[in-house]
Amino acid sequence: MDKYKNGQNPAAASEKNIQTDFKESMTYGEYLHLDQLLTAQKGVSGHHDESLFIIIHQVSELWMKLILHELRSAIRHIDADDLQPAFKQMARVSKIQSQIIQAWDVLSTMTPAEYMEFRDDLGNASGFQSYQYRMIEFALGYKTKHVLAIYEKDESLHEELLEAFKQPGLYDAAIQKLARSGFAIDPAVLNRDVTAVYETNTSVRKAWEAVYRDVDQYWELYQLAEKLVDIEDWLQQWRFRHMKTVERVIGFKQGTGGSSGVHYLKKVLDQYFFPELWEIRTTI
């Protein structure tokens, strides 16, 4: 006896409207430009594990592109006192960060012996040079002008980074929102040079303390604070997993781009983007 009456698979019959003729319409592959995306893994060594190395970093760069897209929109919404969309975008950033963190688990399947077989072929190319990562730092308020010199080879990219460097960051937007909400914020903070690294300020800490002590009155500001903490927490976890993966694969060797490698990655773990939001955990 046939499994299906009249030899017809019910599942196949239910999908009779599936499009199969794409001579005049756009395909999935065309929409995503998969011909370009899937041929962009051009290694320099021919080693089997170089594909892993390239794909992990390319995927991370795609996620970072989305992080920047969401952060920039969140800043605009905070500036416009429209916090609910900003909360959604900031929450999305945190979820994206969790994906990037898990990518290190895949890369760590590559052993030191395997990486050493093609590491020298990378020359001076290094993840330290990721311009999107620098833009994320800038968007979060961490500004270090000396890194801009890395990108002078590409004039248009250098200009793009310089413009991002000059823009207020996410925390600047949050502090301005505190001021608009009636908190007495030090004018020196409100009018600060946003190209400088943000430094902790007593008036900002007192404002956040007030928010956390009266959550019902300042519910939206409380939500804003917690979304900021989520982003920084996940970023520090990303940095930690990066550092441990590098240590696992190359130990304490110098980075391919000349950085001190693990020593540098350990040092940045001590950086804070939103310092008062961590300080008040002790003071409230």
Side-chain angles (χ1 to χ4, degrees):
M1 175 180 276
D2 289 340
K3 186 175 181 181
Y4 303 114
K5 188 178 180 181
N6 301 322
Q8 188 176 33
N9 185 330
S14 69
E15 302 299 338
K16 62 182 180 180
N17 293 322
I18 287 179
Q19 179 75 22
T20 58
D21 183 359
F22 288 94
K23 293 183 178 67
E24 303 297 331
S25 58
M26 179 175 63
T27 67
Y28 170 83
E30 288 169 339
Y31 174 66
L32 295 178
H33 298 279
L34 292 182
D35 56 335
Q36 299 173 45
L37 186 64
L38 299 180
T39 57
Q41 296 72 46
K42 297 178 173 65
V44 294
S45 71
H47 190 275
H48 174 82
D49 284 348
E50 193 179 0
S51 289
L52 164 67
F53 190 78
I54 292 172
I55 290 171
I56 288 293
H57 288 85
Q58 287 181 338
V59 169
S60 295
E61 290 291 336
L62 285 171
W63 280 130
M64 284 191 275
K65 182 175 182 177
L66 186 54
I67 286 174
L68 286 167
H69 177 68
E70 301 296 340
L71 286 177
R72 288 164 179 163
S73 184
I75 290 170
R76 290 193 297 270
H77 282 292
I78 295 169
D79 287 342
D81 294 322
D82 189 13
L83 295 189
Q84 293 303 317
F87 295 158
K88 174 64 178 294
Q89 290 152 355
M90 294 166 72
R92 182 174 291 163
V93 168
S94 295
K95 291 295 185 180
I96 296 167
Q97 289 172 303
S98 71
Q99 295 297 309
I100 298 180
I101 291 168
Q102 290 179 15
W104 294 120
D105 294 336
V106 182
L107 187 60
S108 66
T109 64
M110 183 173 62
T111 68
E114 290 163 343
Y115 183 46
M116 287 305 109
E117 290 189 36
F118 66 89
R119 185 175 190 251
D120 288 345
D121 294 312
L122 303 179
N124 292 319
S126 166
F128 183 83
Q129 299 149 15
S130 169
Y131 66 84
Q132 290 198 121
Y133 178 75
R134 296 302 171 193
M135 285 184 173
I136 290 172
E137 285 190 329
F138 295 168
L140 296 180
Y142 186 75
K143 309 289 182 72
T144 47
K145 191 170 185 178
H146 69 274
V147 301
L148 294 173
I150 297 171
Y151 311 99
E152 290 177 348
K153 178 180 179 180
D154 185 331
E155 186 175 341
S156 62
L157 174 58
H158 184 263
E159 284 298 317
E160 186 179 351
L161 278 153
L162 186 59
E163 181 61 27
F165 183 79
K166 295 176 181 177
Q167 295 301 313
L170 182 64
Y171 200 45
D172 291 306
I175 292 171
Q176 293 287 343
K177 175 59 181 174
L178 285 173
R180 291 195 301 275
S181 300
F183 290 98
I185 303 299
D186 187 346
V189 176
L190 297 177
N191 301 305
R192 78 183 192 89
D193 176 5
V194 297
T195 66
V197 176
Y198 178 80
E199 295 182 4
T200 186
N201 179 273
T202 300
S203 70
V204 175
R205 190 191 74 240
K206 287 182 177 179
W208 287 127
E209 285 175 347
V211 168
Y212 274 76
R213 287 191 173 118
D214 195 344
V215 171
D216 291 338
Q217 181 178 352
Y218 301 114
W219 176 248
E220 279 201 326
L221 292 174
Y222 172 70
Q223 286 182 288
L224 175 59
E226 285 297 291
K227 291 292 187 292
L228 290 168
V229 171
D230 286 343
I231 287 174
E232 179 155 358
D233 190 354
W234 280 109
L235 184 68
Q236 291 295 64
Q237 291 185 54
W238 182 88
R239 284 173 160 179
F240 179 79
R241 287 297 297 127
H242 184 188
M243 181 269 293
K244 294 306 294 183
T245 302
V246 171
E247 183 178 2
R248 175 173 176 157
V249 177
I250 68 167
F252 287 84
K253 293 184 179 72
Q254 186 180 70
T256 50
S259 75
S260 58
V262 169
H263 293 293
Y264 168 78
L265 296 173
K266 283 187 174 182
K267 183 173 64 176
V268 299
L269 286 171
D270 293 328
Q271 295 171 357
Y272 283 91
F273 293 97
F274 319 131
E276 293 89 356
L277 290 174
W278 296 96
E279 293 169 4
I280 64 169
R281 264 69 185 162
T282 303
T283 60
I284 60 172

